[in-house]
Amino acid sequence: MSEETDAPVFSTVDINNDNRDEEDLFASAVQEVSLDSEVNGTSESLEKVSITDMSSMPAVVGSPIMEEIATERANNIIITVTEPQKIGEGMSSYVAYHVLTKTNMPIFSRHEFTVLRRFSDFLGLHEKLTEKYLRSGRIIPPAPEKSIVGTTKLKMTSTPSTESANGTNSSASLQSQFVERRRAALERFLNRVAQHPVLCIDPDFREFLESDTELPKATSTSALSGAGMLRLFNKVGETVNKITYRMDESDPWFEERISRVEGLETQLRRLCGACEALAGERRELAARSHDAARAAAALSAADPHPPLSRALSHLADLHEKIEHLRMEQSNTDFYVLTEHIKDYLGLIGAIKDVFHERVKVFQNWQHAQISRVSYTIYNSRSWESKVERGQQEFDTISRVIKKELERWEETRVAELRATILRYLEEHMKHQAQSIRYWDAFLPEARAIK
């Protein structure tokens, strides 16, 4: 592939569908939530609770009751991640992002605010949310994966901007793509957290969005840190446990959902691979259009027949336009569709994580039952309470997961529909532009005599 065609053209690709209607952003001054007594395991009836009352009680958010809050309408909050900028030089440098939040939720002190956050801050937020809520069955939106190769290359370059350099610098263009993909993924991560009825009121999430001061460096997110190595060993242990232990599923609902999620993951991976290949083919086609443009221009200069030479010159210009159009089509394939498919693969991974947490709770419950039989002579009352607590935890996490999956199904269909429609609209624009290019060239071809 020619180096001149490596530069992405972002100007015509709406990666995050920024044309949002903000008329309803401040439609309500109070966010009301209800408590589900069945899920909470309590018979108390609390009719309406204003989130305003929670702002002064951050410790309450982590309580079992508050973890079961469920809202029936979307949160009025929009988060935009913009202006990635490289800070420092060499291997000690990093990229920071401006995080702009617009909201009317009373738990926030202002309606609009901007903070500067580095990539490790996002990973630290994800880790905190996972530690607090995964055990209770909450689906934690996935954060973008770390890329050692991409990060190292970015640290060694001096052009952190995400704007294309007109295709003249292949290395800078590739880094531009890397930064833009990460920026868009970070924005999707924050907005998914913001739309979750429980995660959006978490104190750590609010601090991430509001605090003007620099957050403590999340050193545990480093792959080479002690916590990173411990996390790696834990993942290995989790993987072995998933392979070696099979829970005898007694709930038909979970059996059907697990099968459905696994099937969806398989087909999404196939589609993701096909879309990546399609984007690559379009980039190759753009490179061939570039070659055709240069060849037509050379032939135009060599041909002595004026009308034919002029037509060949216009044909060279046409192929240059088609080259840029093919690049835009490739970017649409990749940024509009493929990246969102990868996002959903990450969400499916998060769903499988909560399924596994349920299995772990079941294992603990079963272990307590076995131990109760073995040690009933010595301390029967203690083991009885452990068995009861294990069953209660298992029933609770099962109910929470069901609610989480119902909410995810609703948002999944709406988001995929919006993505597919935007993908089709972008390609329709490209096809219409291609037809206009060829229609404009047709008179030149007919003028050859």
Side-chain angles (χ1 to χ4, degrees), residues 101-374:
T101 304
K102 295 181 180 180
T103 182
N104 71 329
M105 296 176 65
I107 58 174
F108 294 99
S109 59
R110 290 165 290 170
H111 289 322
E112 183 173 334
F113 37 89
T114 303
V115 294
L116 193 66
R117 295 287 179 256
R118 55 191 299 174
F119 181 66
S120 61
D121 294 333
F122 290 86
L123 296 184
L125 172 64
H126 180 265
E127 184 176 295
K128 291 175 182 177
L129 295 177
T130 301
E131 290 176 353
K132 283 197 256 186
Y133 299 105
L134 180 60
R135 176 72 178 180
S136 63
R138 298 295 178 190
I139 299 175
I140 312 300
E145 295 182 354
K146 300 182 69 174
S147 173
I148 296 178
V149 175
T151 302
T152 303
K153 289 183 177 179
L154 185 63
K155 288 176 180 291
M156 301 310 295
T157 60
S158 57
T159 53
S161 173
T162 61
E163 297 181 358
S164 171
N166 298 323
T168 58
N169 190 325
S170 176
S171 176
S173 171
L174 291 174
Q175 295 313 309
S176 170
Q177 295 177 47
F178 172 77
V179 173
E180 174 59 23
R181 288 201 305 270
R182 175 170 283 185
R183 182 210 62 77
L186 293 173
E187 182 172 296
R188 290 192 294 269
F189 162 66
L190 290 181
N191 278 289
R192 285 201 172 102
V193 173
Q195 293 306 318
H196 193 285
V198 174
L199 304 184
C200 71
I201 58 175
D202 179 81
D204 288 315
F205 180 59
R206 285 151 46 198
E207 180 187 23
F208 179 92
L209 296 180
E210 276 192 298
S211 178
D212 294 328
T213 60
E214 184 176 346
L215 298 178
K217 187 176 180 181
T219 55
S220 60
T221 61
S222 173
L224 301 179
S225 66
M229 297 301 296
L230 180 61
R231 189 167 55 251
L232 177 61
F233 286 121
N234 287 338
K235 285 184 178 180
V236 173
E238 293 281 339
T239 303
V240 172
N241 187 33
K242 290 177 183 178
I243 295 174
T244 57
Y245 183 82
R246 284 291 180 268
M247 172 182 167
D248 294 330
E249 186 58 69
S250 59
D251 190 329
W253 188 93
F254 274 98
E255 188 175 6
E256 190 271 337
R257 288 304 190 281
I258 291 172
S259 176
R260 181 192 298 181
V261 167
E262 289 178 349
L264 185 61
E265 181 183 33
T266 300
Q267 299 308 320
L268 280 175
R269 289 195 184 280
R270 289 183 59 187
L271 179 59
C272 184
C275 290
E276 285 184 327
L278 178 60
E281 291 296 328
R282 290 196 200 274
R283 293 180 73 86
E284 289 291 339
L285 185 57
R288 302 293 77 79
S289 297
H290 176 78
D291 295 341
R294 296 182 63 178
L299 181 59
S300 171
D303 197 296
H305 191 270
L308 182 57
S309 176
R310 184 170 58 254
L312 289 172
S313 177
H314 283 284
L315 180 62
D317 294 338
L318 170 63
H319 276 299
E320 285 185 359
K321 295 177 181 177
I322 295 297
E323 173 195 355
H324 292 294
L325 191 60
R326 299 301 185 203
M327 290 298 300
E328 291 176 5
Q329 289 178 313
S330 174
N331 288 327
T332 297
D333 290 331
F334 191 82
Y335 293 104
V336 175
L337 187 59
T338 308
E339 285 291 282
H340 284 261
I341 294 173
K342 289 181 179 179
D343 256 10
Y344 272 94
L345 286 171
L347 282 170
I348 288 177
I351 292 172
K352 294 173 74 174
D353 286 341
V354 297
F355 284 157
H356 183 59
E357 285 297 319
R358 178 173 174 268
V359 172
K360 288 163 62 177
V361 172
F362 178 80
Q363 283 181 288
N364 293 336
W365 177 28
Q366 294 298 102
H367 174 71
Q369 288 180 316
I370 296 173
S371 299
R372 178 186 62 179
V373 175
S374 302

Side-chain angles (χ1 to χ4, degrees), residues 60-74:
V60 179
V61 178
S63 67
I65 291 180
M66 292 307 299
E67 287 188 359
E68 303 304 328
I69 292 176
T71 56
E72 295 183 355
R73 59 182 178 179

